[in-house]
Amino acid sequence: MRAPVTGATGLEPELAPDRSFPILYRGMDRAQLDSAYNNSAAVPNYEAIKADWHARSARMRQSRQGRLDLEYGATPRQRLDLFLADSPRAPTLMFIHGGYWQRNDKEDFAFIAEGPLARGINVAVVEYTLAPDTRMDQIVDEIRHAVAWLAEHLGDHGADPARIYVSGHSAGGHLTATVMSLGVVKGGLAISGLYDLEPIRLNYLNVKLGLDAAEARRNSPILHLPPMAGPLVVAYGTAELPELCRQSIDYAQAWAERGLPGHLLPIDSADHFTILESLADPHGALTQALAKMAAT
């Protein structure tokens, strides 16, 4: 009998590794597959990073006087915070937070707006219903509704509804990819995303997600490349777990082979969490990629 494993983040595998597990995916058994996607365990100072995000985001929410908790849908977490640049008639970046579709809130990700705002780009930080309270199909649908809401209502706040760009981190990178087929999305920046959900279905994350094989296939962007889309930058940190790097590399390759515009952007020495500094920094590689995209 395996003993329970406890951890600070709430997303650790619920059972200790059992080496009797069969091979499930790309030569990995269950324990290896769990470790291959356990980002918080791979970054020793994860809790300090998260605390820093929280403090910086609180300062951003206090100083920028954003339009907070705008409702884009009927359920409690269908909300977004809109931060306007000094000249609001500008492009808008819709940012989707990560947390493996089952944790985190928009409030802790306002800090990423520092970079885009300094480059004259509005930022909408989006929240969505988390698993296990809803299924992946519904999460994807909510994000599509958020895009549609921005297209309809950005003009009410002085922004340009014709220039919407979408970005997201980790699970948010996955959700970014799922909306690239929408005509109102002019471009995307997918950061450290998950584009094939089959390994997610087979590891510890599925305890709350409850994916079956059909739902995993249905919501795997690498299996549903759009016939046309705006440019997509697929970014990952070179210090991330190998499986996270592979997912981005494979998706960017599939995107290019489909003849779609965009490119792969490795961020040197960044791990799964520090990569967001390249977006929060006005001169960071991710902010520069976004600004270049929005200027075309």
Side-chain angles (χ1 to χ4, degrees):
M1 177 116 181
R2 291 172 288 152
V5 173
T6 59
T9 69
L11 287 182
E12 288 79 4
E14 294 194 353
L15 298 173
D18 182 342
R19 293 301 177 183
S20 67
F21 284 154
I23 299 301
L24 297 178
Y25 183 82
R26 298 180 70 90
M28 289 178 279
D29 64 19
R30 170 60 187 269
Q32 293 167 324
L33 192 55
D34 285 350
S35 295
Y37 283 87
N38 195 342
N39 292 304
S40 55
V43 179
N45 61 334
Y46 164 73
E47 292 296 340
I49 292 172
K50 187 176 179 182
D52 179 60
W53 290 355
H54 178 81
R56 289 160 62 190
S57 293
R59 290 195 297 269
M60 171 63 70
R61 288 166 60 83
Q62 291 169 1
S63 65
R64 290 298 301 203
Q65 296 182 340
R67 280 67 167 171
L68 305 181
D69 290 318
L70 298 175
E71 301 177 3
Y72 70 85
T75 61
R77 288 182 61 93
Q78 288 180 276
R79 304 288 185 271
L80 62 85
D81 295 338
L82 179 62
F83 301 94
L84 297 175
D86 293 338
S87 298
R89 191 71 181 173
T92 297
L93 177 70
M94 179 178 123
F95 181 83
I96 312 161
H97 70 76
Y100 276 142
W101 309 273
Q102 53 194 275
R103 67 169 178 174
N104 289 332
D105 306 298
K106 60 181 172 59
E107 285 78 9
D108 283 343
F109 290 85
F111 79 96
I112 66 91
E114 297 169 5
L117 288 172
R119 303 296 288 259
I121 300 171
N122 306 315
V123 178
V125 185
V126 174
E127 195 166 82
Y128 50 93
T129 307
L130 302 175
D133 291 339
T134 195
R135 299 193 64 84
M136 186 68 71
D137 287 335
Q138 178 61 29
I139 293 173
V140 170
D141 190 57
E142 288 186 14
I143 296 302
R144 295 173 73 90
H145 276 292
V147 172
W149 187 93
L150 285 173
E152 183 176 353
H153 293 284
L154 276 174
D156 301 340
H157 300 277
D160 186 352
R163 291 190 289 169
I164 297 173
Y165 297 83
V166 179
S167 180
H169 171 243
S170 196
H174 161 263
L175 293 168
T176 296
T178 67
V179 299
M180 286 302 298
S181 61
L182 299 179
V184 297
V185 175
K186 299 306 178 186
L189 176 59
I191 307 166
S192 305
L194 296 309
Y195 310 103
D196 178 3
L197 299 190
E198 180 63 6
I200 306 302
R201 182 181 74 85
L202 296 171
N203 72 19
Y204 74 101
L205 296 166
N206 208 36
V207 172
K208 290 185 177 180
L209 293 171
L211 292 168
D212 58 31
E215 190 175 21
R217 287 193 302 269
R218 192 162 58 245
N219 292 289
S220 290
I222 200 166
L223 301 179
H224 304 284
L225 294 163
M228 61 181 64
L232 175 66
V233 176
V234 180
Y236 71 97
T238 61
E240 297 202 53
L241 288 166
E243 267 293 284
L244 273 294
C245 297
R246 181 194 64 79
Q247 286 251 6
S248 289
I249 293 167
D250 287 357
Y251 188 62
Q253 180 178 348
W255 186 269
E257 289 176 351
R258 185 63 180 258
L260 296 166
H263 64 275
L264 183 69
L265 179 58
I267 304 300
D268 189 43
S269 301
D271 62 40
H272 190 70
F273 305 106
T274 58
I275 191 171
L276 285 181
E277 297 304 324
S278 292
L279 184 58
D281 180 354
H283 303 290
L286 296 183
T287 307
Q288 292 186 51
L290 170 65
K292 182 177 180 180
M293 191 188 313
T296 58

